[in-house]
């Protein structure tokens, strides 16, 4: 299926005026479709699976900024650290330490976001507020020099209830703002997907992750 160019352009237009970055989520989509969007000038792409990301990155131009947005297992960190632009889903201190360790080996500083659990569902990964504060506290006391925590990421409940979605995004933005006061590096609030990105933007998102509105439904 071809890229939904009109839809892509209208999202881009929508976000441009608001200074919100767009990550095009290309999981399960072939490299040809990524290239199609690349040729329109797009550079930020998001993937959920390590092996898929590694294979695609090898076949595509090196100036693509790859966002890892899935759940990351510690034993797989080493495969993406050499080239990843931003890891959105950091959900434990152990994982952050492993990213630091691999960053050190690669001689790089890896950009990360802490994933916060804001949804009602039990299954979604992420930290609660006190765990986020604990990680930020520990990183202040004993800095990990090869990671840079740039902000937070979250996913709202999968529901038709847009009031609930809005409340969850608002909660995340409140936490983000309070951390931003103490952490000058904090600049990214990654929230909003195809079904809820407009609400996310209204509630302070600085980066949305959109798949199906750009690439069509996934198989
Ligand atoms: C798949 C995915 C997206 C994109 O979802 P769409 O509904 O297709 O826009 C965004 N964020 C994460 C974490 C995802 O896994």
């Amino acid at each position: 299926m071809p890229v939904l160019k009109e839809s892509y352009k209208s999202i881009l237009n929508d976000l441009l005026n608001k200074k919100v970055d767009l990550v095009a989520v290309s999981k399960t989509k072939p490299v040809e479709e990524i290239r199609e969007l690349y040729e329109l000038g797009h550079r930020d792409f998001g993937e959920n699976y390590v092996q898929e990301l590694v294979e695609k990155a090898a076949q595509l131009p090196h100036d693509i900024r790859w966002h890892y947005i899935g759940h990351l297992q510690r034993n797989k960190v080493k495969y993406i650290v050499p080239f990843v632009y931003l890891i959105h889903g950091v959900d434990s201190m152990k994982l952050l330490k492993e990213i630091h360790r691999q960053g050190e080996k690669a001689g790089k500083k890896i950009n990360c976001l802490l994933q916060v659990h804001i949804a009602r569902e039990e299954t979604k990964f992420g930290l609660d507020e006190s765990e986020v504060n604990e990680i930020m506290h520990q990183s202040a006391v004993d800095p990990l020099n090869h990671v840079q925590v740039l902000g937070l990421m979250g996913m709202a409940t999968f529901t038709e209830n847009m009031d609930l979605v809005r409340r969850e995004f608002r909660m995340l933005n409140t936490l983000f703002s309070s951390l931003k006061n103490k952490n000058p590096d904090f600049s990214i609030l990654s929230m909003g997907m195809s079904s809820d990105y407009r609400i996310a933007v209204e509630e302070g998102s600085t980066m949305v992750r959109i798949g199906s509105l750009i690439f069509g439904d996934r198989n």
Side-chain angles (χ1 to χ4, degrees):
M1 201 166 79
V3 171
L4 308 171
K5 289 189 181 161
E6 290 314 310
S7 176
Y8 165 68
K9 284 178 184 164
S10 95
I11 297 166
L12 209 58
N13 207 41
D14 205 16
L15 299 176
L16 210 63
N17 308 317
K18 301 179 180 101
K19 298 203 166 79
V20 175
D21 292 321
L22 171 61
V23 176
V25 177
S26 48
K27 63 180 173 218
T28 79
K29 299 296 175 180
V31 289
E32 292 72 32
E33 292 184 18
I34 298 175
R35 207 182 290 279
E36 228 185 291
L37 208 60
Y38 178 89
E39 260 139 41
L40 294 177
H42 203 77
R43 293 294 179 270
D44 291 274
F45 292 89
E47 291 281 341
N48 284 55
Y49 308 101
V50 168
Q51 191 180 342
E52 187 180 344
L53 170 55
V54 168
E55 284 170 9
K56 285 173 169 176
Q59 298 172 64
L60 286 158
H62 294 312
D63 61 342
I64 287 182
R65 293 185 289 263
W66 290 106
H67 296 248
Y68 189 79
I69 63 171
H71 180 66
L72 184 56
Q73 289 169 288
R74 266 180 288 151
N75 61 352
K76 298 209 171 142
V77 170
K78 56 179 176 286
Y79 301 115
I80 64 170
V81 151
F83 66 91
V84 77
Y85 176 70
L86 178 63
I87 299 176
H88 289 231
V90 177
D91 62 357
S92 72
M93 193 65 196
K94 277 183 167 175
L95 178 57
L96 195 65
K97 282 185 172 159
E98 176 60 12
I99 297 169
H100 162 74
R101 215 169 66 83
Q102 296 299 335
E104 189 169 29
K105 273 193 188 173
K108 304 182 75 170
K109 194 163 196 161
I110 309 299
N111 296 324
C112 297
L113 304 178
L114 300 180
Q115 182 171 357
V116 185
H117 184 277
I118 52 172
R120 292 281 172 86
E121 286 107 327
E122 287 290 326
T123 51
K124 296 229 167 102
F125 295 102
L127 303 154
D128 66 26
E129 187 171 335
S130 68
E131 290 168 324
V132 170
N133 287 324
E134 175 60 26
I135 289 179
M136 292 313 295
H137 176 70
Q138 267 187 260
S139 323
V141 179
D142 182 15
L144 301 170
N145 300 322
H146 291 272
V147 293
Q148 183 97 330
V149 179
L150 292 177
L152 303 178
M153 179 268 214
M155 286 166 87
T157 303
F158 185 70
T159 174
E160 304 275 290
N161 181 352
M162 287 300 151
D163 290 333
L164 176 60
V165 168
R166 186 180 294 281
R167 282 202 301 278
E168 290 171 351
F169 285 150
R170 192 165 293 179
M171 213 161 60
L172 188 56
N173 190 21
T174 303
L175 178 59
F176 175 72
S177 302
S178 79
L179 290 165
K180 205 175 160 180
N181 286 332
K182 291 172 263 172
N183 303 277
D185 294 336
F186 257 55
S187 56
I188 302 176
L189 179 55
S190 167
M191 60 183 196
M193 310 176 24
S194 290
S195 60
D196 55 22
Y197 84 90
R198 287 196 173 84
I199 297 174
V201 169
E202 284 167 13
E203 296 302 330
S205 172
T206 72
M207 184 176 275
V208 296
R209 311 174 308 271
I210 298 183
S212 34
L213 277 184
I214 296 172
F215 293 105
D217 290 335
R218 284 179 293 275
N219 308 324

